[in-house]
Amino acid sequence: MNRIGVVVFPGSNCEYDAASAVTDLGAKAEFIWHSATSLGDVDGVILPGGFAHGDYLRPGALARFSPVMEAVRSFAAAGGAVLGICNGFQVLTEAGLLPGALQKNRGLTFLCQPTTLVVASTNSVLTRSTSLGQELRIPINHFSGSYTCTDETHQQLVDNDQVVLRYVDNPNGSRDNIAGICNEGRNVVGLMPHPERAMSTLLGSADGRALLAGFVGQTVVVA
Amino acid sequence: MNYSVAVSVTLRAGIADPEGATIERALPALGFSGISDVRAGKSFTLRIEADDPSEAVMIARSLAERLLSNPVMEDAAVRLIEEV
């Protein structure tokens, strides 16, 4: 059984949703407190949504200095699968594990709504079980989710096929409709939408399963 | 010596500033006219132990670049206030 570590910062609030989702997909979830200096024996790691360290200063700015992040950095450098969802995406950009930054939404409103995403690349640990151009109904829940980066970084993202998910109807002003990106190694992915909240048609959508099943499955290869 | 140093963080030119723009749009309703380029940001004051003012500023600048601002989207300005 795949073991997925779910990092818990003070202020994380989606860790149980993430753990429940991967458990539902047949993996074993293990919570990892932010002060841990090792991830233990895991096949993949998720940085969940929430407000790590209160989002003080900037979302992710202080979480980046939590001891666990050195372990996440080493794990990622060794090719381990890392997924940052919402606040986790913000943490990964602040930590420099993914390029760019997330700024306040255009319109300055907190957005909590379903969105439609289109798969822009299937070559990542998150999107490998989806098909190119596939539309996915996944909710967002954020105030600082507008993806921004320099022209140079944007060109690199496009040239290297690192944009993995785009919004169909850009809700937050993200550059180039970007909802999710991966690193050059394709083993670190961050996205603002919440696939772990789209696991059941009873609750609106089960489209998150395709993404997280890919993530959980990919860890077999990486391990 | 201790020095009081101010750090001001604002969004870089070219990065949309919805907060500044919203404040600017509210100004006419308050009777202000002729005000433009409103940029919102954060300000910090620090008390820094250093040998001289230039060292205090150098320490503050390093801190501003590594933590107080995100260089991807923000600029940081450092200003020495006084010896304290």
Side-chain angles (χ1 to χ4, degrees), chain B residues 12-79:
Chain B
R12 284 169 57 168
I15 301 280
D17 178 2
E19 200 169 355
T22 303
I23 294 165
E24 188 170 325
R25 277 198 302 276
L27 297 178
L30 295 170
F32 290 96
S33 62
I35 298 176
S36 59
D37 289 338
V38 177
R39 305 287 282 174
K42 298 191 189 85
S43 95
F44 306 85
T45 54
L46 314 164
R47 183 172 157 139
I48 299 176
E49 198 180 308
D51 291 336
D52 56 57
S54 65
E55 189 192 6
V57 167
M58 199 176 69
I59 292 169
R61 188 162 290 137
S62 170
L63 176 65
E65 285 166 8
R66 289 170 58 197
L67 176 63
L68 300 180
S69 72
N70 180 340
V72 174
M73 57 180 175
E74 294 170 326
D75 284 327
V78 175
R79 183 171 57 86

Side-chain angles (χ1 to χ4, degrees), chain A residues 44-65:
Chain A
V45 63
I46 294 177
L47 276 60
F51 299 85
H53 297 275
D55 272 0
Y56 294 145
L57 195 54
R58 293 179 307 280
L62 300 178
R64 163 190 161 201
F65 295 104

Side-chain angles (χ1 to χ4, degrees), chain A residues 6-133:
Chain A
V6 179
V7 174
V8 183
F9 297 98
S12 293
N13 62 18
C14 298
E15 69 271 31
Y16 286 95
D17 290 354
S20 169
V22 298
T23 303
D24 197 24
L25 293 166
K28 183 178 187 306
E30 292 179 14
F31 292 118
I32 302 172
W33 183 236
H34 79 114
S35 61
T37 52
S38 160
L39 299 178
D41 184 21
V42 296
D43 303 304
V45 63
I46 294 177
L47 276 60
F51 299 85
H53 297 275
D55 272 0
Y56 294 145
L57 195 54
R58 293 179 307 280
L62 300 178
R64 163 190 161 201
F65 295 104
S66 277
V68 75
M69 289 307 296
E70 270 313 306
V72 171
R73 188 182 300 280
S74 303
F75 184 72
V82 178
L83 172 62
I85 301 170
C86 195
N87 194 223
F89 185 14
Q90 295 163 337
V91 174
L92 290 175
T93 59
E94 284 283 344
L97 289 170
L98 287 173
L102 285 310
Q103 68 168 138
K104 288 171 185 158
N105 296 338
R106 174 185 59 197
L108 279 185
T109 50
F110 190 96
L111 297 170
C112 181
Q113 63 195 52
T115 59
T116 303
L117 308 178
V118 60
V119 176
S121 172
T122 58
N123 189 8
S124 79
V125 290
L126 184 68
T127 52
R128 67 190 297 264
S129 294
T130 60
S131 49
L132 194 64

